[in-house]
Amino acid sequence: QVQLVESGGGLVQAGGSLRLSCAASRSIFSSYGMGWYRQAPGKQRDLVARITPGGMTTYTMSVKGRFTISRDTAKRTLYLEMNNLKPEDTAVYFCNVAGTSAPLPWGQGTQVTVSS
């Protein structure tokens, strides 16, 4: 089984930036699409960014132009660069496979809090 560990969250003022990291215990990025998800209190977990094995990226409308998903296959690490953060971005952020396959077990995520 592959383990995924998120890090890099924190408290930031609106308009600020953060870079999240997701470390995978095995090399999977060449075979599986990967995504960043987020879940705010009382809301469902939503996919916000995805990258295919070939490097194609997609974003949900609310983060398009502000967030960038990338990967370093050799380091087995997925990244999410977040710029111009808004209070509505406040959530716990998770990484996981993104596609038709079943997700891996969810990790603890990393908290992102954006103050106004």
Side-chain angles (χ1 to χ4, degrees), residues 39-52:
Q39 186 171 29
K43 296 186 177 180
Q44 67 180 7
R45 181 159 29 212
D46 293 325
L47 178 68
V48 298
R50 180 176 62 88
I51 184 167
T52 70

Side-chain angles (χ1 to χ4, degrees), residues 19-22 29 34-36 49-51 55 57 59 67-73 76-81:
R19 188 172 85 154
L20 308 183
S21 298
C22 169
F29 299 161
M34 298 295 299
W36 284 97
R50 180 176 62 88
I51 184 167
T57 60
Y59 304 89
F67 291 11
T68 303
I69 186 172
S70 62
R71 67 184 178 216
D72 187 325
T73 302
R76 306 193 304 273
T77 303
L78 184 74
Y79 302 100
L80 185 68
E81 179 71 34

Side-chain angles (χ1 to χ4, degrees), residues 1-2 17 28 45 72 79 84 97 107-108 113:
Q1 187 75 289
V2 177
S17 300
I28 60 172
R45 181 159 29 212
D72 187 325
Y79 302 100
N84 191 25
V97 296
Q108 294 296 309
T113 303

Side-chain angles (χ1 to χ4, degrees), residues 8 10 12 21-22 27 32 35 38-39 58-59 63 65-67 74 79 81 88 95-96 98 102 107-108 114:
V12 65
S21 298
C22 169
S27 297
Y32 299 92
R38 68 185 182 188
Q39 186 171 29
T58 56
Y59 304 89
V63 309
R66 300 188 297 118
F67 291 11
Y79 302 100
E81 179 71 34
E88 52 263 43
C95 61
N96 214 314
Q108 294 296 309
V114 184

